[in-house]
Amino acid sequence: MDGSSVSAAEGAAAPAGHRGDGPFRLSVIVPMFNEEGSTDAFFDAVIPVAESLTSDFEILCVDDGSKDATAARVEARAADDARIGLIRFSRNFGKEAALTAAFDYCDGDAVVSIDADLQMRPEVIRDMVAKWREGWDVVAATRADRETDSGVRAFLSRRFYHYFNRISDTPIPPETGDFRLMDRGVVMALRQLPERTRFMKGLFAWVGFSTTTIAYDHGERHAGTSSFRLWTLWNFALDGITSFSTFPLRIWSYMGFVTAFLAFLYGSWIVLRTLIFGIDVPGYASLLVFTLFLGGIQLISLGVLGEYIGRLLQETKRRPIYLTRSTVLPRGREDAEDGP
Ligand code: UDP
Ligand code: MG
């Protein structure tokens, strides 16, 4: 485990001193979208783990505009268990927005984000807390395998992170996801990031802090199916790249230079050839090929500009990242009205 912690901690701070074995408050934050089949099993699995760690914890669920009975299931549990809270969105805003809301409302000393589908085993939280006590600010769980993903998804995902890390200033440790423990200070830092495009994996990396990793086996979904189709993931990837790199914008200046240089060489050759051998009429094929090729290149560069400009537009509108229709915070917290 120490080997992997080196790669994740690259460029980040070393851990602070031991946090001691005293009492602490734990926040478990859970984005939920159409998870009615998993919620009860999730609570049954996570509550004993939390209880074994501390007497003071909250489980903060964010219902991301589910179309099924997810919210009702959580409300039923929250009625009996004051440690469970529920933030309901007015519609589906996406997992990244759900995580953002949870970070805005949670108040633990240590905050663990975890999916509701039990693909991430709650027992791992024990090891995370142990690492946090050792002094690490962030403990990210890394997937030991990608067996539960389709071959295509696993392959594309790996490619994406490979290229992302080559062009981004803030590399993302491979195979880490949204299953992680963060110290309160890290959550405070995340709250300061104002952008509307919430590529959380990138934001996690951007804020820094001392980071270590724990490997875990990613299980099968407890119930239901993944909400992420290839097209969603593609747009997610574009969000990530445009938020963390301007390389796709800059590359076109270089392409322009190279093309202009080659055009100059070719033009000189044509002039020379005309001077030596006279006017040579045929040239239809080469003319068409060059026109189409340059047209294609120009359209691609325009498209890249469009990707950035569209996102700039989203940012300048400064719409809220999410809207809530109701907020029930765990008992003992009277700050519901003061939320963001
Ligand atoms: N999720 C969400 N909003 C969405 C899609 C997903 O809050 O629009 C939640 C979902 O309920 C789950 C987590 O995000 O807790 C991960 O989703 P999923 O299991 O579908 O993704 P995968 O594990 O396939 O990446
Ligand atoms: Mg899942």
Side-chain angles (χ1 to χ4, degrees):
M1 223 138 302
D2 281 321
S4 56
S5 66
V6 173
S7 67
E10 224 171 72
H18 200 278
R19 287 195 165 85
D21 295 322
F24 74 106
R25 180 163 168 84
L26 175 71
S27 293
V28 179
I29 62 175
V30 204
M32 292 180 169
F33 178 59
N34 295 342
E35 298 284 6
E36 63 176 2
S38 303
T39 45
D40 280 315
F42 172 77
F43 289 126
D44 293 340
V46 82
I47 289 174
V49 174
E51 278 172 343
S52 74
L53 287 166
T54 171
S55 57
D56 183 19
F57 68 88
E58 66 174 354
I59 300 174
L60 197 52
C61 307
V62 181
D63 172 43
D64 185 12
S66 297
K67 305 236 179 318
D68 64 3
T70 302
R73 292 277 163 87
V74 177
E75 271 161 2
R77 294 293 289 246
D80 296 335
D81 190 335
R83 301 167 297 189
I84 298 175
L86 174 65
I87 298 164
R88 289 186 75 181
F89 280 0
S90 61
R91 64 168 171 84
N92 179 246
F93 281 90
K95 181 181 181 185
E96 312 292 298
L99 280 175
T100 303
F103 285 127
D104 286 343
Y105 283 93
C106 69
D107 73 343
D109 301 309
V111 177
V112 174
S113 55
I114 184 170
D115 286 356
D117 56 16
L118 289 173
Q119 287 192 282
M120 303 161 172
R121 283 182 303 107
E123 299 85 69
V124 179
I125 298 175
R126 286 203 187 97
D127 302 331
M128 290 178 161
V129 169
K131 289 266 179 201
W132 173 73
R133 284 196 188 280
E134 280 174 24
W136 296 97
D137 295 318
V138 178
V139 188
T142 59
R143 296 174 62 157
D145 63 81
R146 271 197 173 266
E147 272 163 27
T148 53
D149 278 352
S150 75
V152 186
R153 182 170 169 177
F155 173 77
L156 291 177
S157 172
R158 258 189 228 113
R159 287 290 88 195
F160 169 71
Y161 289 107
H162 176 75
Y163 290 115
F164 181 95
N165 286 342
R166 289 185 69 161
I167 63 175
S168 162
D169 297 335
T170 45
I172 300 175
E175 302 296 324
T176 59
D178 297 330
F179 186 20
R180 54 179 62 222
L181 177 148
M182 281 145 290
D183 182 63
R184 182 162 184 74
V186 180
V187 174
M188 299 306 252
L190 285 170
R191 282 185 193 167
Q192 290 177 34
L193 304 182
E195 54 246 84
R196 315 288 113 171
T197 309
R198 311 294 295 182
F199 183 67
M200 288 316 262
K201 286 188 184 69
L203 300 183
F204 289 145
W206 188 86
V207 295
F209 291 90
S210 64
T211 304
T212 188
T213 56
I214 297 184
Y216 78 103
D217 293 321
H218 199 67
E220 296 285 351
R221 271 191 146 267
H222 179 75
T225 51
S226 169
S227 311
F228 292 95
R229 314 227 172 286
L230 274 184
W231 183 247
T232 326
L233 289 170
W234 163 252
N235 285 313
F236 184 63
L238 285 184
D239 273 350
I241 290 171
T242 50
S243 308
F244 284 91
S245 174
T246 52
F247 177 78
L249 282 175
R250 286 181 288 123
I251 191 177
W252 299 105
S253 332
Y254 301 107
M255 293 282 278
F257 278 123
V258 171
T259 316
F261 181 67
L262 292 178
F264 174 75
L265 288 185
Y266 187 61
S268 311
W269 157 243
I270 291 178
V271 169
L272 261 178
R273 201 181 53 175
T274 313
L275 287 177
I276 299 168
F277 300 108
I279 295 176
D280 179 18
V281 176
Y284 170 75
S286 56
L287 206 62
L288 196 68
V289 167
F290 285 129
T291 313
L292 288 179
F293 177 69
L294 286 180
I297 295 252
Q298 283 168 354
L299 283 180
I300 295 175
S301 64
L302 272 182
V304 171
L305 276 179
E307 293 291 340
Y308 280 88
I309 293 176
R311 284 173 176 80
L312 271 179
L313 180 68
Q314 299 295 340
E315 295 290 330
T316 50
K317 285 191 206 156
R318 302 201 64 76
R319 287 185 185 153
I321 296 163
Y322 57 86
L323 289 174
T324 56
R325 54 187 274 194
S326 67
T327 306
V328 179
L329 292 184
R331 197 166 58 211
R333 296 194 43 189
E334 307 303 336
D335 50 349
E337 261 61 51
D338 308 333

